[in-house]
Amino acid sequence: MRVTSPLPFLAALVGLASVGVAAQGAAPDAPIAVSVDASRTGATIDRNLFGQFAEHLGKGIYEGVWVGPESAIPNTRAIRNDVVAALKDLKVPNVRWPGGCFADEYHWRKGIGPLEARPATLNPNWGGVLEPNTFGTHEFLDFVGQIGSEAYLSVNVGSGTPAEAADWLEYLTAAQPTALAEERAANGHAAPYGIAILGIGNESWDCGGNMSAEYYLSQLRVYSRFVRNFNPAQQAEKRMLRVAVGPGGKEPRFAEWTETIMKSWKGRQWSWDHLDALSLHNYTVVRFPPAYKSVGFDEQAYAEILQATLEMDGLIAEHSAIMDKYDPKKEVALAVDEWGSWYAPLPGTNPGFLAQQNSVRDALIAALNINIFARHADRVRLANIAQMINVLQAMILTDGPKMIRTPTYHVFKMYVPFQQATFVPVAFDAGRYVRGGITLPRVDVLAAKDAAGTLWLSLTNLDPNRPAEITTTFAGMTARSFAGETLTGPAIDSVNTFDAPDAVAPRPARARLDRRGLSVTLPPKSVTVIGVRP
Ligand code: AHR
């Protein structure tokens, strides 16, 4: 999206003229007034909020990323080129790997060395399929390098040992010629790798080992002491972030979990090395097992799912408040390192593969959650949508050599300018969208300012039936030009398919800038991102 391009500006004027036709004579609603004071800024919207999650699950890694050295699908060192190119455009800040539940049964030594010598193991969590271990440590870091991202490793606490995890980190990061560093060099990588983020366990209260908070805490302290990053370049400025397992939902036991970890962190002694974040897992699901369909749903299901997704805000607020008691300076972040929609598996797929379609509704879910994270940017500094390819709320779907970008992908791309931008508070009356006993805000608005001074607005219309007219006025800046895009589709459950890959794709926004401010027409069920230049 180029702010100075005259083409989107012209398109915006033309588009505005067609709004009356789209409304088919219905009495227009009064415009919703949004006021932005660009001189009032808040926290930085950490680019790590746009992290991805790639687990050994279904077709997330095998087929989605790794096609093998003999594949006819264009690839670089067995990693598919189309996927790499698409992900590069998202400026993915970090990729969490290898799980998920898979991480607590993963033994890294099985995934290094010559491919043909690697043992096949099982993946009991996800369909009981064979795990060939052909995508291991070096392949993951190659992939991360190809897409220009950073590694977020989850180490095995559930069925591993501190020694196994410590060895993995030494293997990866030691610069001195230790036996492990030499083994790494023999496997093709002489220089130490950079590991940006380390997760100590995953959902240790459940698939990660059914631990109590106290038991996990004792593990966390040991792993925090012994699992070290030796990379000389990461001792000060680029210090590896450590993420502890945190809460996973609304149950009272999770409040206790957060209390337990944070209380202990506050009273820590020198030998408990730094802790940078507590994870929070929260999926958009009305109840487990997920029964809502990812495509072919009605408006009631649309509203129920959006209502469920907005619960993210309360959950973050609840756990931030607990953290504030022990960490008022917000040194420990909340890392929402698993979030996204979780629907019933697509008919005909292995239920353990968590395959689902991705619709206009998911585009709204993505925008609404990112907006929530940004509003909590002082505490929420890392997030990972689940999952990157072919699993749950994916960016990308593949079918053999074919690849499509989902509506969620497009939202992540539209939001790239929000990475590292500074939050700007906005005032607006969200209005109401009511459906079958559910009342939701009709619109949502996020504003942020980037380093060049461009003010970015994200405008979401939740109402699937009525367009919304937004008039934004600016204080603290003079708005001189703009450009923007809108994402929507013909129906609430419109999706991209391998036959129609661009059914849901961004189009120029319908907007006009004049002395009164910026007027934007939001189509029903849409996400619009506009950059306004001073
Ligand atoms: O993302 C799928 C699974 O959901 C992850 O493996 C686990 O951490 C969570 O329960």
Side-chain angles (χ1 to χ4, degrees), residues 220-241:
L220 172 66
R221 287 169 150 175
V222 173
Y223 276 71
S224 299
R225 174 81 187 123
F226 298 117
V227 184
R228 299 182 170 103
N229 184 321
F230 295 102
N231 188 324
Q234 292 198 266
Q235 301 311 305
E237 274 178 28
K238 291 188 167 181
R239 191 177 74 161
M240 180 178 74
L241 303 178

Short mmCIF file of all heavy atoms in Angstrom, two decimals, residues 220-241:
data_model
loop_
_atom_site.label_atom_id
_atom_site.label_comp_id
_atom_site.label_asym_id
_atom_site.label_seq_id
_atom_site.Cartn_x
_atom_site.Cartn_y
_atom_site.Cartn_z
N LEU A 220 10.27 -24.53 35.80
CA LEU A 220 10.64 -23.25 35.16
C LEU A 220 11.93 -22.70 35.77
O LEU A 220 12.83 -22.24 35.04
CB LEU A 220 9.50 -22.25 35.36
CG LEU A 220 9.77 -20.80 34.94
CD1 LEU A 220 9.96 -20.71 33.41
CD2 LEU A 220 8.61 -19.89 35.37
N ARG A 221 12.03 -22.79 37.09
CA ARG A 221 13.23 -22.26 37.75
C ARG A 221 14.48 -23.02 37.31
O ARG A 221 15.54 -22.43 37.10
CB ARG A 221 13.06 -22.35 39.26
CG ARG A 221 12.09 -21.33 39.79
CD ARG A 221 11.79 -21.68 41.22
NE ARG A 221 11.47 -20.51 41.99
CZ ARG A 221 11.06 -20.56 43.25
NH1 ARG A 221 10.95 -21.72 43.87
NH2 ARG A 221 10.79 -19.46 43.88
N VAL A 222 14.34 -24.33 37.19
CA VAL A 222 15.50 -25.14 36.80
C VAL A 222 15.88 -24.85 35.34
O VAL A 222 17.05 -24.58 35.03
CB VAL A 222 15.20 -26.65 37.01
CG1 VAL A 222 16.32 -27.50 36.45
CG2 VAL A 222 14.95 -26.94 38.48
N TYR A 223 14.89 -24.85 34.46
CA TYR A 223 15.17 -24.59 33.04
C TYR A 223 15.72 -23.18 32.84
O TYR A 223 16.61 -22.95 32.02
CB TYR A 223 13.90 -24.79 32.19
CG TYR A 223 13.64 -26.23 31.79
CD1 TYR A 223 13.22 -27.17 32.73
CD2 TYR A 223 13.80 -26.66 30.48
CE1 TYR A 223 12.95 -28.48 32.37
CE2 TYR A 223 13.54 -27.97 30.10
CZ TYR A 223 13.12 -28.88 31.06
OH TYR A 223 12.87 -30.17 30.70
N SER A 224 15.18 -22.23 33.62
CA SER A 224 15.65 -20.85 33.47
C SER A 224 17.11 -20.73 33.87
O SER A 224 17.84 -19.88 33.37
CB SER A 224 14.83 -19.90 34.34
OG SER A 224 13.50 -19.93 33.95
N ARG A 225 17.53 -21.57 34.79
CA ARG A 225 18.92 -21.52 35.26
C ARG A 225 19.89 -22.15 34.25
O ARG A 225 20.97 -21.64 34.01
CB ARG A 225 19.02 -22.24 36.61
CG ARG A 225 20.43 -22.39 37.14
CD ARG A 225 20.90 -21.12 37.82
NE ARG A 225 22.30 -21.18 38.19
CZ ARG A 225 23.22 -20.30 37.77
NH1 ARG A 225 22.89 -19.31 36.97
NH2 ARG A 225 24.46 -20.40 38.17
N PHE A 226 19.48 -23.28 33.68
CA PHE A 226 20.46 -24.07 32.92
C PHE A 226 20.34 -23.99 31.40
O PHE A 226 21.28 -24.39 30.70
CB PHE A 226 20.38 -25.54 33.35
CG PHE A 226 20.73 -25.73 34.81
CD1 PHE A 226 19.80 -26.22 35.71
CD2 PHE A 226 21.99 -25.37 35.28
CE1 PHE A 226 20.13 -26.37 37.06
CE2 PHE A 226 22.32 -25.51 36.62
CZ PHE A 226 21.38 -26.00 37.51
N VAL A 227 19.22 -23.54 30.90
CA VAL A 227 19.08 -23.51 29.43
C VAL A 227 19.54 -22.14 28.96
O VAL A 227 18.81 -21.15 29.04
CB VAL A 227 17.62 -23.80 29.01
CG1 VAL A 227 17.51 -23.88 27.49
CG2 VAL A 227 17.17 -25.12 29.62
N ARG A 228 20.78 -22.10 28.46
CA ARG A 228 21.42 -20.81 28.20
C ARG A 228 21.66 -20.60 26.72
O ARG A 228 21.93 -21.55 25.98
CB ARG A 228 22.78 -20.76 28.90
CG ARG A 228 22.72 -20.89 30.40
CD ARG A 228 24.14 -20.76 30.94
NE ARG A 228 24.18 -20.63 32.39
CZ ARG A 228 24.50 -21.62 33.22
NH1 ARG A 228 24.79 -22.81 32.74
NH2 ARG A 228 24.51 -21.43 34.52
N ASN A 229 21.63 -19.36 26.35
CA ASN A 229 21.99 -18.96 24.99
C ASN A 229 23.42 -18.42 25.05
O ASN A 229 23.70 -17.45 25.75
CB ASN A 229 21.04 -17.87 24.50
CG ASN A 229 21.29 -17.46 23.06
OD1 ASN A 229 22.44 -17.37 22.63
ND2 ASN A 229 20.24 -17.21 22.32
N PHE A 230 24.35 -19.07 24.33
CA PHE A 230 25.76 -18.69 24.40
C PHE A 230 26.19 -17.78 23.25
O PHE A 230 27.36 -17.42 23.16
CB PHE A 230 26.64 -19.94 24.38
CG PHE A 230 26.45 -20.81 25.60
CD1 PHE A 230 25.70 -21.97 25.55
CD2 PHE A 230 27.03 -20.45 26.82
CE1 PHE A 230 25.52 -22.77 26.67
CE2 PHE A 230 26.86 -21.25 27.95
CZ PHE A 230 26.10 -22.41 27.88
N ASN A 231 25.28 -17.48 22.35
CA ASN A 231 25.67 -16.68 21.18
C ASN A 231 26.23 -15.33 21.66
O ASN A 231 25.52 -14.57 22.33
CB ASN A 231 24.45 -16.47 20.29
CG ASN A 231 24.80 -15.82 18.98
OD1 ASN A 231 25.68 -14.96 18.93
ND2 ASN A 231 24.12 -16.23 17.93
N PRO A 232 27.48 -15.02 21.30
CA PRO A 232 28.08 -13.76 21.79
C PRO A 232 27.27 -12.53 21.39
O PRO A 232 27.27 -11.53 22.11
CB PRO A 232 29.46 -13.75 21.11
CG PRO A 232 29.73 -15.15 20.70
CD PRO A 232 28.41 -15.80 20.46
N ALA A 233 26.56 -12.62 20.26
CA ALA A 233 25.79 -11.45 19.80
C ALA A 233 24.48 -11.30 20.58
O ALA A 233 23.74 -10.34 20.37
CB ALA A 233 25.50 -11.58 18.32
N GLN A 234 24.19 -12.25 21.45
CA GLN A 234 22.90 -12.18 22.15
C GLN A 234 23.07 -12.01 23.66
O GLN A 234 22.14 -12.32 24.42
CB GLN A 234 22.09 -13.46 21.87
CG GLN A 234 21.63 -13.56 20.43
CD GLN A 234 20.49 -14.56 20.31
OE1 GLN A 234 20.73 -15.72 20.02
NE2 GLN A 234 19.28 -14.11 20.54
N GLN A 235 24.21 -11.52 24.07
CA GLN A 235 24.42 -11.39 25.51
C GLN A 235 23.90 -10.07 26.06
O GLN A 235 23.62 -9.95 27.24
CB GLN A 235 25.91 -11.56 25.85
CG GLN A 235 26.46 -12.91 25.42
CD GLN A 235 25.57 -14.08 25.88
OE1 GLN A 235 25.28 -14.23 27.06
NE2 GLN A 235 25.12 -14.90 24.93
N ALA A 236 23.75 -9.07 25.19
CA ALA A 236 23.27 -7.78 25.70
C ALA A 236 22.05 -7.33 24.89
O ALA A 236 20.92 -7.65 25.23
CB ALA A 236 24.39 -6.75 25.66
N GLU A 237 22.32 -6.65 23.77
CA GLU A 237 21.21 -6.02 23.04
C GLU A 237 20.16 -6.99 22.52
O GLU A 237 18.97 -6.76 22.63
CB GLU A 237 21.77 -5.25 21.85
CG GLU A 237 22.17 -3.84 22.24
CD GLU A 237 22.76 -3.09 21.09
OE1 GLU A 237 22.41 -3.39 19.94
OE2 GLU A 237 23.58 -2.20 21.35
N LYS A 238 20.60 -8.08 21.91
CA LYS A 238 19.64 -9.00 21.30
C LYS A 238 19.39 -10.19 22.21
O LYS A 238 19.27 -11.33 21.75
CB LYS A 238 20.14 -9.46 19.94
CG LYS A 238 20.14 -8.37 18.91
CD LYS A 238 20.46 -8.95 17.56
CE LYS A 238 20.14 -7.93 16.48
NZ LYS A 238 20.41 -8.43 15.15
N ARG A 239 19.35 -9.93 23.50
CA ARG A 239 19.19 -11.00 24.47
C ARG A 239 17.94 -11.84 24.15
O ARG A 239 16.89 -11.31 23.82
CB ARG A 239 19.04 -10.38 25.86
CG ARG A 239 19.13 -11.37 26.98
CD ARG A 239 19.05 -10.66 28.31
NE ARG A 239 17.69 -10.21 28.60
CZ ARG A 239 17.25 -9.90 29.81
NH1 ARG A 239 18.06 -9.96 30.84
NH2 ARG A 239 16.02 -9.49 29.99
N MET A 240 18.10 -13.14 24.23
CA MET A 240 16.98 -14.05 23.96
C MET A 240 15.87 -13.83 25.00
O MET A 240 16.14 -13.78 26.20
CB MET A 240 17.50 -15.49 24.04
CG MET A 240 16.46 -16.54 23.78
SD MET A 240 17.22 -18.20 23.87
CE MET A 240 17.45 -18.39 25.64
N LEU A 241 14.65 -13.70 24.52
CA LEU A 241 13.51 -13.55 25.42
C LEU A 241 13.10 -14.92 25.94
O LEU A 241 13.02 -15.87 25.17
CB LEU A 241 12.33 -12.91 24.70
CG LEU A 241 12.57 -11.55 24.03
CD1 LEU A 241 11.30 -11.09 23.32
CD2 LEU A 241 13.00 -10.52 25.07
#
